[in-house]
Amino acid sequence: MEPLERYRPLIDDFEAFIAACERPLPSAVRVNTIKATPAQVERAFDDADIGYETADWAEGIYRLETSSPGTLWPSVHGWIHGQEEVSSLPAKVLDPQPGERVWDAAAAPGSKATQLSALMDDRGLVVANDNNLGRLSALRFNAERLGVTNMAVTNQDARNFSLKRFGEGGTDDRRVDAFDRALVDAPCSCEGTIRKNPDTFDEWSLGHVESVAGIQQGILRRAVQATRPGGRVVYSTCTFAPEENERVLDQVLDKEDCRIIEQDIPLEHASGVTEFEDEEFDPSVEKAARIYPHHNDTGGFFCATLEVGQ
């Protein structure tokens, strides 16, 4: 837990934060509304004598009294999907609508991409991209199991994602306006997953934090470029590092035509930080949300919403 000490000045109750990080993470699932309703899933839990608790901030999210939700028959049949509770937040904040075109820039293994499809009633288009070809098999498996039909799967480096195949771009492939919304749940140092991955800090280094921040900035810039004027982009990570969160937002605000806007976060959270160590960030990063494990008994998370310039 030593790397977390650097965040002591940012966290309201650091001792409670560390204590939460040391506890195992509750097992959680979300209802896949393409195939089932929350009422149907609850009856299935009751019939199978599976203990569950409804999340008080979102319908269709449950904490289960089992450590293996993927072995349950509602999961096998695609009624539910095992997904860490706070991990379902970015798609809900993005709020995609049926019929829209949505890009998930780093989609594998597909939890958030398939959630986007469900929120869209499986209508419109979700372009689920990942640069790791090996992970795409899991994405395709999950999409098939959950009954998703509005998804196109691509294998590109999101920083240089080409949209010409979608009939956009012309001779200038930088500003293409191909999507109504985009989700950048960026690859990160994963500090917020310590509760389910106790070895997270075994190979942690500040150098890795700095290197992955450059990748995050490139992906987020491309997402802004690929989204139509007035469209929205949600940026999220499962890390606490301001270098990967507020600094990335600050740099993208400086280079792209976008602004951070207020977002509806139905979980207890802290605001984004405007300074850390010897750095200061754009004041608007305060509109981002920092979710710490001791706030809601979840993993750690960061989430911000950007609106693309008109």
Side-chain angles (χ1 to χ4, degrees), residues 62-79:
Y62 301 93
R63 295 185 179 186
L64 302 186
E65 295 178 2
T66 175
S67 60
S68 304
T71 64
L72 304 175
W73 77 258
S75 177
V76 173
H77 289 278
W79 284 24

Side-chain angles (χ1 to χ4, degrees), residues 101 163-173 176-179:
R101 293 156 66 98
L163 293 144
K164 293 183 182 295
R165 68 183 62 187
F166 300 104
E168 307 285 347
T171 57
D172 180 4
D173 195 36
V176 290
D177 309 338
F179 297 107

Side-chain angles (χ1 to χ4, degrees), residues 216-230:
Q216 294 160 345
Q217 181 192 157
I219 298 174
L220 183 54
R221 289 189 63 188
R222 189 57 176 150
V224 172
Q225 295 166 5
T227 302
R228 64 169 174 79

